[in-house]
Amino acid sequence: MNEQSFAVRRGLAVGQVDVWLAASDEISADDLRSYERLMSPDEHARWTRFVVPKPRLQHLVARALLRRTLSRYAEVAPRQWQFDANTYGRPHIAGPTPACDLRFNISHTDGLVAVAVAKGLEIGVDVENVARSLDVLQLAPSVFAPAEVAALELAAERDRADVFFSFWTLKEAYIKARGMGLSLKLDGFAFDLSGTHPRISFNDRCPDDPSRWQFRRYLPTATHALAVAVSAPENAIDVRLIWVVPDAQPDASP
Ligand SMILES: CC(C)(COP(=O)(O)OP(=O)(O)OC[C@H]1O[C@@H](n2cnc3c(N)ncnc32)[C@H](O)[C@@H]1OP(=O)(O)O)[C@@H](O)C(=O)NCCC(=O)NCCS
């Protein structure tokens, strides 16, 4: 894996979207233990209620990655961040109020945790493990718009899983950027994968303006798909994927 450790940097230009990635299965037991100390008492109490090992691991790594990542962009120590959530469960920064309007979104799946950050933009990120065996043609009509189902059926068999997970991660990234969960209708918007970057269209089941959204999709590993949704004008975004092991020092300065 192309793992790199990046130096602390505090700048986040307008339109810049940094997606920090951690391979959750490759983190040492010592580091994982230290991540527990980064959590607030509430976060720790919630985390202890996870009993299934993989979601438990992903949740822990996501908390550490989020706190360490935010502290790269603001003079706030990782343990000091406070979070709140909207009525649909989307978390956001509640304090301390940083100098810039930092926004974030988290996604985790088997083997991969992602934290996307941007300044003053609505953002959503989704990662999925594509190594799962799924009957994609059977599943598609219950989660995709008719145009997406048709595109999937037309795809060559060898490309179908790739097309399926592209639609899936893009739809999730959009839903997550809106922050309204499944109150948004999955068949109310559709993606077109034919251009350089994915394009979205809406119908009256999910009214929105396509021109205010930009999307990118990636294959960060051989077994993971990732998509990012950003509310920004066309060609105005710069997305960077950054591999990192979250720093294990809970009291280190940002
Ligand atoms: C709540 C939802 C965000 C869960 O998404 P998911 O794919 O299961 O999980 P992900 O790992 O990508 O995201 C989970 C993270 O999103 C964040 N999140 C929670 N609610 C959110 C919301 N309403 N909006 C944005 N982000 C949200 C949280 O940080 C959460 O992680 P945490 O609990 O560890 O803090 C939501 O999109 C959902 O339930 N989707 C249903 C999945 C589905 O049927 N998809 C159809 C295919 S298109």
Side-chain angles (χ1 to χ4, degrees):
M1 188 190 10
N2 57 336
E3 187 169 294
Q4 297 179 39
S5 184
F6 275 62
V8 171
R9 53 177 169 168
R10 301 169 199 274
L12 198 55
V14 175
Q16 185 179 333
V17 179
D18 286 353
V19 184
W20 294 81
L21 299 170
S24 46
D25 294 337
E26 297 178 19
I27 298 172
S28 73
D30 280 352
D31 280 355
L32 290 174
R33 271 191 294 277
S34 74
Y35 293 173
E36 288 187 47
R37 296 194 292 275
L38 284 174
M39 291 190 275
S40 69
D42 284 355
E43 276 179 329
H44 196 271
R46 186 179 166 213
W47 174 70
T48 58
R49 292 197 286 274
F50 282 80
V51 288
V52 180
K54 289 204 168 181
R56 184 180 165 87
L57 171 69
Q58 291 162 23
H59 193 78
L60 175 63
V61 175
R63 306 267 67 79
L65 183 60
L66 174 64
R67 287 175 174 277
R68 291 297 303 166
T69 296
L70 294 177
S71 292
R72 291 174 184 270
Y73 303 97
E75 296 286 348
V76 176
R79 282 169 63 167
Q80 287 178 348
W81 294 104
Q82 296 153 24
F83 303 100
D84 203 350
N86 73 6
T87 50
Y88 301 95
R90 183 198 167 100
H92 58 261
I93 296 170
T97 307
C100 67
D101 183 11
L102 269 180
R103 312 279 181 91
F104 71 86
N105 194 227
I106 295 171
S107 186
H108 33 71
T109 189
D110 193 0
L112 184 63
V113 175
V115 171
V117 289
K119 193 161 92 175
L121 301 173
E122 292 170 64
I123 50 169
V125 64
D126 189 56
V127 290
E128 298 292 336
N129 188 312
V130 301
R132 291 177 278 167
S133 151
L134 290 175
D135 185 340
V136 297
L137 288 180
Q138 191 192 20
L139 187 54
S142 60
V143 288
F144 291 169
E148 294 166 333
V149 175
L152 189 68
E153 286 169 351
L154 278 175
E157 202 176 329
R158 66 178 181 280
D159 297 331
R160 264 201 199 123
D162 181 40
V163 172
F164 177 86
F165 281 108
S166 290
F167 284 140
W168 182 291
T169 53
L170 287 162
K171 288 177 88 73
E172 277 287 346
Y174 170 72
I175 287 174
K176 295 180 73 185
R178 293 285 307 273
M180 296 166 62
L182 289 179
S183 69
L184 295 177
K185 302 294 176 208
L186 290 170
D187 61 355
F189 58 99
F191 283 92
D192 174 358
L193 304 177
S194 61
T196 308
H197 299 303
R199 308 285 313 168
I200 197 168
S201 61
F202 300 98
N203 62 38
D204 54 10
R205 288 172 63 75
C206 180
D208 198 350
D209 175 5
S211 70
R212 79 183 189 100
W213 291 103
Q214 301 297 314
F215 298 91
R216 298 290 185 272
R217 57 183 170 137
Y218 304 92
L219 297 171
T221 77
T223 53
H224 293 98
L226 182 153
V228 182
V230 192
S231 65
E234 193 169 357
N235 300 325
I237 64 167
D238 173 20
V239 180
R240 305 164 192 207
L241 303 192
I242 306 161
W243 283 99
V244 71
V245 176
D247 190 318
Q249 302 304 313
D251 295 318
S253 59

